[in-house]
Amino acid sequence: MHTSTALLTDHYELTMVDAALKAGTANRNSVFELFARRLSGARRYGVVAGTGRLLEAIADFRFGDAELEFLRANSVVGQDTIDWLANYRFTGDIWGYPEGEVFFPGSPLVTVEASFAEGVILETLALSIMNYDSAVATAASRMVYAASGKPLAEMGSRRTGERSAVAAARAAYVAGFSATSNLEAGRSYGIPTMGTAAHSFTLLHDSEREAFAAQVAAFGPDTTLLVDTYDTEQGVRTAVEVAGTGLGAVRIDSGDLPVVVVEVRELLDSLGATNTRITVTNDLDEHTVAALAASPVDSFGVGTSVVVGSGSPTMGMVYKLVAREDDNGEWVSVAKKSADKASVGGRKSVRRLLNARGAARAELIYLGDGPGGEAEGAEVADSSREILEPLVVGGEIQQQYVGSDGIELARKRHRSSVAELPRVAMSLTRGDPAIPTEYR
Amino acid sequence: MHTSTALLTDHYELTMVDAALKAGTANRNSVFELFARRLSGARRYGVVAGTGRLLEAIADFRFGDAELEFLRANSVVGQDTIDWLANYRFTGDIWGYPEGEVFFPGSPLVTVEASFAEGVILETLALSIMNYDSAVATAASRMVYAASGKPLAEMGSRRTGERSAVAAARAAYVAGFSATSNLEAGRSYGIPTMGTAAHSFTLLHDSEREAFAAQVAAFGPDTTLLVDTYDTEQGVRTAVEVAGTGLGAVRIDSGDLPVVVVEVRELLDSLGATNTRITVTNDLDEHTVAALAASPVDSFGVGTSVVVGSGSPTMGMVYKLVAREDDNGEWVSVAKKSADKASVGGRKSVRRLLNARGAARAELIYLGDGPGGEAEGAEVADSSREILEPLVVGGEIQQQYVGSDGIELARKRHRSSVAELPRVAMSLTRGDPAIPTEYR
C-alpha cells in the first residue's frame, strides 16, 4: 500500500500534462469544476461528502522516487514532465460546497483554480473520492430521515472494497448515522464504533444457551444477544433466562421484520424485560427502514444498501474545464458542445434562495467572476445565503475542513441544510430535484 | 493511510474473540466458508476475483502498536485479548477456488481452517475484497464476451472509491480486459496502462486544430485524437488534416454510437485514413458493447459500469462457520437454521462435472472431510476436475497466487474456465445459473 496518492490517477491526465508542457499551454490559468449533471436514482437532493478526504489526499499528492520511476520505466511521460512532476505541489485555490451541504444538478461542488497542468491531474482523484462518498451520504441521509429519529449504525464494510468501507463509514456518519462497525473508521476519523456477536459465536458453542452465557460472562447483561440463529422465539426466552431482565438488547437478523419485531417486543415485555432494546439488521434500506419506523424497533444496523448507495453506487459527477486564460491573459469560458453532454462554461458563484419561512426555494448559480468575485455585489436575492467556501487558498488547505473536526463540522452542516429543504425533498419516490437550479 | 490491514475489520469480530477467549472456546478448530447464496443480478455464472489480494492482505494482517493502542483506548477488547492480538499471525490452512475460476451458488470460494479466533477475525476483510473484486470481474467477463474479441480497456477509476479503483482495474484484467487507465494498478500489479487526451485538453487551446497539432507534435501521428468536443464530423476531418492518414486512432465519447461509428468509419476511409482505428467510450456496459460488436469499432473503453458491477455492485457473499471441533476433538457440522438464510454445514470438496465434449455440466459439492480429504477417494464422476487448491498451508501463503504472477495465472484460468461453460452461460439476460449445484 503506497501512501502517495499521486498515481490514483488516469494515465491520460499525465499525457495531457506532457503535451501541454511541450505546447507551452500548461501554465494557462484555468478553472475546473466538479459537478453532477443530474441526481443519480432520481433523488430529490444530493449530499456532498468526501471533501475533507479530498483535501487530505491532495496534501499527499506528491510524486516521490517510486512514482517517478514507474512513470519513467513505463514511458508514460517524457523527462521534462518527470522533472515537472517531481516538483508538483498544488499551489492554487479550491472553492467548494462545504462537506455535508445538500446539492442539485449543476451545483459546482468543487472549483479548482490553478494552472491547467496543476488542476488537470487532480481530476480522477477528486472524482473517485467525491463520487463514492457522496453516493453513500446521499443514500444515508434518506435512511436517517426514514428512521424518524431512531439511531442507525453503518455495518456494510463487507459489501464494498476494504478501503472504500472506511470512506463509507465516514460518509454515513456525515449524513447522520450514529456509529459504524468499521474499526479503521474509528481509528482514522474518530467515528464511534460498535458491535457485539455473530452467528458464528453461537454456532461455536454446544448450545445457544452456552453461547449466551459466555457472552454475558464476558460483557455483563447489558450486551446485545443475537437471537435468531435457530428459532427467534426460543432465542429470546433463552436470552432473558441467561441475562435476566436487565438484558441490554436483542438483535434480529432474519425473518419478516415488521411481524417479528412486534412479536419479540411482546415476548420481552411478557418476560419482564421491558427495557431490553431491539435492534434489527436484515438487508435494510431506506424503504424497509421507513416501513419499520412505527414498529417497536430501537435501532437499525444498515449494511449493503448504504455502502452501495442504495441502487446508485456512484453520483456520476464529472470534472470539467470551464474557463481558462488565453495568451493575452483574458479569461475565456469554455464548454463541450456535444448534444448529450453539454455543460455550462464560465466561473460561477452560488446562493441558495430561501422563502420567508427560511425554506430553500432555488439554487441560484451566478455566471460571472466566480466565488468571491463581483457576482455577489450584483443582483442578489433578499433572502439567500452564500454556498461556496474557500477550502484551499494559495495551496494552503484550510484545516477546519479536514480530520475529525471537519467531520463534525460536516455533520452539523448536513443537519441544518436538510432542515432547510422543502418537505418534498424527503419523498423516497423517484422524482425531480426538490428545488430548481437557476442560472443568473 | 495505515498499511496494516488488521483494523479493516468489524468491531464485533474482536468482541467475539474477546468473549471466546474468556469462555475457553477460542481455540476450537474451526472451518469457515466464504460463498454466495445466489448470483447477484441473476447472472449465469460468477467469476472469482480478489483471492491474490486477500492473501496479500492476510500477510499484512498484524496488530502493531498503533492498532493495539486504538483498541485499548477505546475499550474495544480487554487486556488479555490485546495480548493475544499482539501475537496474531494466521497459522491455519486456506483452500479455495483459484482466482479467475467461475463459480455458482453455494460454491465454497474460500475455506479457512484454523482456530475459531484465528479464522473469525478475517471475516470482514475477506468479504470486502472478494465481494467487490468478484462483482467487477463477473461484470467484466460478460463484457469481454460481448466484445467478440475486440479489446476493452477499464477506465472507471473516477466512478468508485480511489483504492477500489485499483482493485477494479486488477479484477477487470483478470476477467480479460486488456488494459486500464489507472496508473496505480500499473505500478502495483503490472497491468498495462493506457490513455491519451481529454476534452479539457481541446478546450485549453484556442481551437481544436491547435489542440490536435499540440498532441501530434508531442506524440507523433500514431496517437488517439478525441474528436467529439465540438462536432464529430468536423473533428474527424481536422484530425486527419493535422495528423495525416497515418493517424493512429480517433476516440468518440458521445452520441448514438452505432450510427456515429459507421459514419466516422466511412469518413475516415473517404479521407484515406483506412488504418486509423476507432475507439468508443460513452457509458458502455455489456449490452451496449454487444450492440456495437458488429460495428466498425476497434476497441472499447468501459468506465462506470464495470467498476460498479453493472447493476450488481457486490456479490452478496457471506462467511460462515460450517464446522468446528467439540471439547472431545470431534468435528461437528454447524449451520444457521433461519428460514430465509439457511446454509449447508460441514466441510466440503468440489469437482466440476464435464460431459464427453468437455463442457461443464454441474458443480458437485461433496460433504465430507473437506478438500484433500476422503471425498476424492469416494464416488467421483468419470469426467470431472477438482476445483479447490491449497492457497495457504500452515500459515504459508503459496506464492504462485499473489503479485503479478498470480494475476497472469488467474487470467489464464479464467479463459480456460469460461471456454468450458455451456453456451447458455453467455446469455446477457437474467436467468438461472448455467450449471446446477449438486450436493453429494
Side-chain angles (χ1 to χ4, degrees):
Chain A
M1 177 66 64
H2 302 276
T3 52
S4 165
T5 58
L7 294 188
L8 299 172
T9 300
D10 283 331
H11 187 120
Y12 81 164
E13 284 157 42
L14 298 194
T15 317
M16 284 186 286
V17 170
D18 202 43
L21 283 170
K22 290 189 173 89
T25 47
N27 291 318
R28 287 185 169 186
N29 283 319
S30 297
V31 180
F32 292 88
E33 203 178 276
L34 188 152
F35 63 97
R37 291 197 175 90
R38 63 195 73 83
L39 296 176
S40 297
R43 303 279 168 79
R44 307 314 181 100
Y45 63 100
V47 178
V48 183
T51 320
R53 290 211 310 121
L54 173 58
L55 299 180
E56 293 160 8
I58 288 173
D60 291 330
F61 198 90
R62 303 295 291 267
F63 293 83
D65 291 343
E67 288 75 33
L68 296 171
E69 179 49 34
F70 168 76
L71 298 175
R72 189 182 293 115
N74 290 274
S75 305
V76 174
V77 292
Q79 187 59 44
D80 289 349
T81 303
I82 295 276
D83 295 340
W84 186 87
L85 295 172
N87 296 313
Y88 181 85
R89 182 177 165 283
F90 184 75
T91 62
D93 296 333
I94 300 182
W95 291 79
Y97 276 51
E99 187 160 9
E101 184 56 89
V102 300
F103 73 90
F104 302 94
S107 296
L109 306 177
V110 179
T111 301
V112 175
E113 306 186 341
S115 73
F116 176 79
E118 264 192 42
V120 76
I121 61 176
L122 298 179
E123 174 176 353
T124 303
L125 182 65
L127 286 171
S128 292
I129 293 174
M130 300 301 294
N131 266 322
Y132 182 69
D133 291 25
S134 298
V136 172
T138 298
S141 178
R142 286 154 57 100
M143 294 171 188
V144 169
Y145 180 81
S148 295
K150 292 175 180 174
L152 297 111
E154 183 281 312
M155 315 174 94
S157 295
R158 62 193 56 197
R159 298 291 169 81
T160 189
E162 74 279 14
R163 298 278 169 187
S164 285
V166 185
R170 181 186 177 285
Y173 186 71
V174 164
F177 273 49
S178 300
T180 178
S181 62
N182 188 287
L183 289 172
E184 189 62 59
R187 171 174 48 179
S188 293
Y189 300 118
I191 298 170
T193 67
M194 56 85 71
T196 47
H199 295 110
S200 65
F201 186 80
T202 298
L203 296 171
L204 169 68
H205 292 87
D206 296 334
S207 69
E208 189 173 54
R209 182 177 300 271
E210 283 182 37
F212 288 175
Q215 189 176 327
V216 171
F219 307 132
D222 188 21
T223 187
T224 301
L225 292 174
L226 177 57
V227 294
D228 71 339
T229 303
Y230 302 107
D231 174 87
T232 300
E233 182 188 335
Q234 185 56 51
V236 171
R237 290 184 187 278
T238 305
V240 176
E241 283 169 27
V242 170
T245 54
L247 173 62
V250 294
R251 177 160 80 94
I252 309 169
D253 185 47
S254 54
D256 181 18
L257 291 178
V259 174
V260 174
V261 163
V262 169
E263 291 173 351
V264 168
R265 181 73 268 161
E266 290 174 357
L267 180 56
L268 285 168
D269 290 345
S270 76
L271 297 170
T274 52
N275 291 321
T276 299
R277 298 176 302 282
I278 299 175
T279 187
V280 296
T281 55
N282 184 24
D283 274 344
L284 300 174
D285 63 14
E286 60 271 47
H287 303 285
T288 48
V289 166
L292 283 164
S295 297
V297 170
D298 295 284
S299 62
F300 299 94
V302 181
T304 307
S305 67
V306 67
V307 303
V308 300
S310 197
S312 298
T314 174
M315 290 304 294
M317 295 166 182
V318 295
Y319 182 92
K320 295 292 173 190
L321 182 69
V322 295
R324 48 100 185 154
E325 287 185 350
D326 63 18
D327 280 341
N328 303 318
E330 295 291 316
W331 281 99
V332 181
S333 293
V334 296
K336 187 179 174 190
K337 293 288 183 291
S338 314
D340 57 341
K341 286 185 176 176
S343 49
V344 179
R347 304 174 82 194
K348 302 173 182 75
S349 64
V350 184
R351 301 189 73 89
R352 186 159 300 153
L353 183 64
L354 307 170
N355 71 14
R357 295 186 306 282
R361 277 181 48 203
E363 198 79 335
L364 308 181
I365 300 184
Y366 294 86
L367 298 171
D369 285 348
E374 282 180 23
E376 291 160 84
E379 173 235 15
V380 165
D382 279 352
S383 178
S384 68
R385 63 184 181 85
E386 191 172 358
I387 299 292
L388 301 185
E389 298 185 3
L391 308 175
V392 179
V393 180
E396 292 300 316
I397 292 167
Q398 305 300 292
Q399 292 300 311
Q400 68 269 34
Y401 299 112
V402 300
S404 297
D405 288 352
I407 295 172
E408 293 302 331
L409 188 67
R411 199 169 148 84
K412 199 170 149 191
R413 165 74 67 158
H414 183 64
R415 270 199 304 273
S416 62
S417 294
V418 165
E420 215 173 57
L421 290 175
R423 290 296 287 271
V424 68
M426 299 305 148
S427 169
L428 296 181
T429 59
R430 296 171 65 91
D432 292 330
I435 61 173
T437 300
E438 297 175 7
Y439 291 89
R440 295 286 166 92
Chain B
M1 177 66 63
H2 302 276
T3 52
S4 165
T5 58
L7 294 189
L8 299 171
T9 300
D10 282 331
H11 187 121
Y12 82 163
E13 285 157 40
L14 298 194
T15 316
M16 285 187 284
V17 170
D18 201 44
L21 283 170
K22 289 191 173 88
T25 48
N27 290 318
R28 287 184 168 185
N29 283 319
S30 297
V31 180
F32 292 88
E33 204 178 276
L34 189 152
F35 63 96
R37 290 198 175 89
R38 64 195 71 83
L39 296 175
S40 296
R43 303 279 167 79
R44 307 313 181 100
Y45 64 99
V47 178
V48 182
T51 320
R53 289 211 310 123
L54 172 58
L55 300 180
E56 292 159 8
I58 288 173
D60 291 331
F61 198 89
R62 303 295 292 267
F63 293 83
D65 291 343
E67 288 74 34
L68 296 171
E69 179 49 34
F70 168 76
L71 299 175
R72 188 182 291 115
N74 290 274
S75 305
V76 174
V77 292
Q79 187 59 45
D80 289 351
T81 303
I82 295 277
D83 295 340
W84 186 87
L85 294 171
N87 296 311
Y88 181 85
R89 180 176 167 283
F90 184 75
T91 62
D93 296 333
I94 300 182
W95 291 79
Y97 276 50
E99 186 159 7
E101 185 56 89
V102 301
F103 72 90
F104 303 94
S107 295
L109 305 177
V110 179
T111 302
V112 175
E113 306 186 341
S115 73
F116 175 79
E118 263 192 40
V120 77
I121 62 177
L122 298 179
E123 174 176 353
T124 303
L125 182 65
L127 286 170
S128 292
I129 292 173
M130 301 301 294
N131 266 323
Y132 181 69
D133 291 25
S134 298
V136 172
T138 298
S141 178
R142 286 155 56 100
M143 295 170 187
V144 170
Y145 180 81
S148 296
K150 292 175 180 175
L152 297 111
E154 183 281 314
M155 314 174 94
S157 295
R158 63 192 57 197
R159 297 292 168 82
T160 189
E162 74 279 15
R163 298 279 170 186
S164 285
V166 186
R170 181 187 177 284
Y173 186 70
V174 164
F177 273 50
S178 300
T180 178
S181 62
N182 188 288
L183 290 172
E184 188 62 61
R187 174 180 39 183
S188 293
Y189 301 117
I191 298 170
T193 67
M194 56 84 72
T196 46
H199 295 110
S200 64
F201 186 80
T202 299
L203 296 171
L204 169 67
H205 292 87
D206 296 333
S207 70
E208 190 173 53
R209 182 177 300 270
E210 283 182 36
F212 289 174
Q215 189 177 327
V216 170
F219 308 132
D222 188 20
T223 187
T224 301
L225 292 173
L226 176 58
V227 293
D228 71 338
T229 303
Y230 302 107
D231 175 87
T232 301
E233 182 188 332
Q234 185 56 52
V236 171
R237 290 184 186 278
T238 305
V240 176
E241 283 170 26
V242 170
T245 55
L247 174 62
V250 295
R251 177 159 81 93
I252 308 169
D253 185 47
S254 55
D256 181 18
L257 292 178
V259 174
V260 174
V261 163
V262 169
E263 291 173 352
V264 168
R265 180 74 268 160
E266 290 174 356
L267 181 56
L268 284 169
D269 290 346
S270 76
L271 297 170
T274 52
N275 291 320
T276 299
R277 298 177 302 282
I278 299 175
T279 187
V280 296
T281 56
N282 184 23
D283 272 346
L284 299 174
D285 64 15
E286 60 271 48
H287 304 285
T288 47
V289 166
L292 283 164
S295 298
V297 170
D298 296 283
S299 63
F300 299 95
V302 182
T304 307
S305 66
V306 67
V307 303
V308 301
S310 196
S312 298
T314 173
M315 289 304 292
M317 295 166 181
V318 295
Y319 182 92
K320 295 292 172 188
L321 181 68
V322 295
R324 48 98 183 155
E325 286 185 350
D326 63 17
D327 280 341
N328 303 318
E330 296 290 317
W331 280 100
V332 181
S333 293
V334 297
K336 188 179 175 190
K337 294 287 184 290
S338 314
D340 57 340
K341 285 186 178 176
S343 49
V344 180
R347 303 174 84 197
K348 302 173 184 75
S349 65
V350 184
R351 299 189 74 89
R352 187 159 300 153
L353 183 65
L354 307 169
N355 70 13
R357 295 186 306 281
R361 277 182 47 203
E363 197 80 335
L364 308 181
I365 301 184
Y366 294 86
L367 299 170
D369 286 347
E374 283 180 22
E376 292 161 80
E379 174 236 15
V380 164
D382 280 351
S383 178
S384 68
R385 62 183 181 85
E386 191 173 359
I387 299 292
L388 301 185
E389 297 185 4
L391 308 175
V392 179
V393 179
E396 292 300 318
I397 292 166
Q398 305 299 293
Q399 291 299 311
Q400 68 268 36
Y401 299 112
V402 300
S404 298
D405 289 352
I407 294 172
E408 293 302 330
L409 188 67
R411 197 169 150 84
K412 199 169 150 190
R413 165 75 67 158
H414 183 63
R415 270 198 304 272
S416 62
S417 293
V418 164
E420 214 175 55
L421 290 175
R423 289 297 287 271
V424 67
M426 299 306 148
S427 169
L428 296 181
T429 59
R430 296 171 66 91
D432 292 329
I435 61 173
T437 301
E438 297 175 7
Y439 292 89
R440 295 285 163 94

